[in-house]
Amino acid sequence: MQMQDKLSDRQLSDEQSREVAETIREEIARRRISRQALAEQAKLSLSTLEKALGGRRPFTLATTVRLEQALGVSLRKSIVAPAPAVGNDVAPDSLGSYSHRAVTWIEGVYITLRPSFGDKDAIFAYRTEIVWEPRVSSLVFREGERTDTAYEHTGEVAVPHQSGFIYLVINKHGQHRVITVSRPTVSGAMYGIISTLRAGAGSQLTPVAAPIAYVPARIIADPAVGRISPDHANYKLYRDHLRRTVDDSFALFLPA
């Protein structure tokens, strides 16, 4: 019995916890249920669920099993799958065949800026981390501190030599979101275009493209996140970064 208790209390790795959290957020958004309702169904406290989804506490095996039973889906695909061979520091050809050493200058924490899809006068800001992931031998990006946590994503980073641009790609069951940005400037910022779906009323989704900027968090005195309105202290700084996308021809938006 003690051995079973120890196994149930086993904590998932940080990467496994992130994957479980992302799947849960997707299921919550798809089913349109509250976190409180899910916590009650899984017989967990809302505080435990919130901390795990927010990355402040790793998931345990026992908690994961309860959530699987409540949702009726498997949350442990990557846990039981065999891990890729470790030691290869070259990304696959589909991502540009780059070596880890060649892209270390892209790694870091960024404040991501784009226009708010819900308020035409506001700027939406959140945190993005780009790191090398040995398990998949490539750079990956992880979004966090979004006010719409159900839409936080983790994806692959392609750095092809031919175009000179960087692609942050999400492919979830065939549904793609693609972000195309420039190589980092002298300050380390990257500018480009996000192509995604905008959530509307009910289940309505609309394709949308918008300028986007990745600004190193280290060069912002107060890296605020969330919906930044015109009266916010960071608004002008964030707006100037977004405007650079078009003003400095990092990207073009052609008229119809």
Side-chain angles (χ1 to χ4, degrees):
M1 180 64 71
Q2 290 180 345
M3 179 63 70
Q4 289 178 341
D5 290 342
K6 289 180 180 179
L7 289 174
S8 296
D9 291 338
R10 180 171 68 85
Q11 292 182 345
L12 307 189
S13 69
D14 290 345
E15 177 64 21
Q16 291 167 345
S17 290
R18 278 191 290 268
E19 292 176 355
V20 169
E22 184 174 354
T23 302
I24 291 172
R25 287 193 291 266
E26 289 177 352
E27 289 295 323
I28 288 174
R30 185 174 66 84
R31 302 175 188 217
R32 299 185 182 181
I33 60 174
S34 67
R35 295 186 177 190
Q36 177 68 58
L38 176 57
E40 291 175 356
Q41 292 174 23
K43 296 181 174 57
L44 299 171
S45 70
L46 179 59
S47 174
T48 296
L49 180 60
E50 292 281 8
K51 288 178 181 178
L53 289 177
R56 300 188 299 276
R57 172 187 296 176
F59 282 91
T60 65
L61 185 58
T63 298
T64 305
V65 170
R66 287 188 180 187
L67 288 164
E68 286 179 329
Q69 293 172 341
L71 291 169
V73 299
S74 173
L75 301 173
R76 297 175 288 168
K77 300 181 181 66
S78 66
I79 300 175
V80 300
V86 177
N88 180 14
D89 70 342
V90 177
D93 181 66
S94 60
L95 297 178
S97 300
Y98 55 84
S99 69
H100 184 195
R101 182 179 299 180
V103 294
T104 54
W105 46 284
I106 302 174
E107 293 182 278
V109 176
Y110 299 83
I111 299 301
T112 308
L113 309 171
R114 66 158 171 78
S116 169
F117 295 158
D119 182 346
K120 64 181 180 63
D121 296 321
I123 294 171
F124 192 53
Y126 53 93
R127 181 179 180 274
T128 299
E129 181 183 20
I130 298 179
V131 297
W132 179 266
E133 176 50 72
R135 294 176 63 251
V136 294
S137 295
S138 74
L139 289 174
V140 299
F141 70 96
R142 301 169 181 139
E143 298 175 350
E145 298 184 47
R146 290 183 57 151
T147 53
D148 55 347
T149 55
Y151 296 98
E152 288 181 353
H153 292 295
T154 298
E156 299 175 318
V157 180
V159 190
H161 300 292
Q162 291 88 345
S163 70
F165 283 84
I166 297 167
Y167 302 85
L168 285 71
V169 183
I170 296 166
N171 176 6
K172 289 293 183 183
H173 310 298
Q175 180 174 302
H176 287 68
R177 186 187 75 168
V178 180
I179 299 169
T180 306
V181 292
S182 65
R183 301 292 176 105
T185 61
V186 173
S187 69
M190 301 183 290
Y191 303 92
I193 294 175
I194 177 174
S195 177
T196 185
L197 296 175
R198 173 186 177 182
S203 60
Q204 181 181 0
L205 296 173
T206 305
V208 62
I212 195 167
Y214 287 86
V215 185
R218 57 181 169 78
I219 69 172
I220 302 176
D222 178 20
V225 296
R227 185 168 292 180
I228 308 299
S229 58
D231 60 352
H232 193 283
N234 282 22
Y235 183 80
K236 183 181 183 303
L237 173 65
Y238 286 2
R239 182 193 60 188
D240 290 346
H241 274 293
L242 267 183
R243 285 184 173 176
R244 280 201 68 184
T245 300
V246 174
D247 292 348
D248 291 354
S249 298
F250 286 102
L252 298 176
F253 291 86
L254 302 179

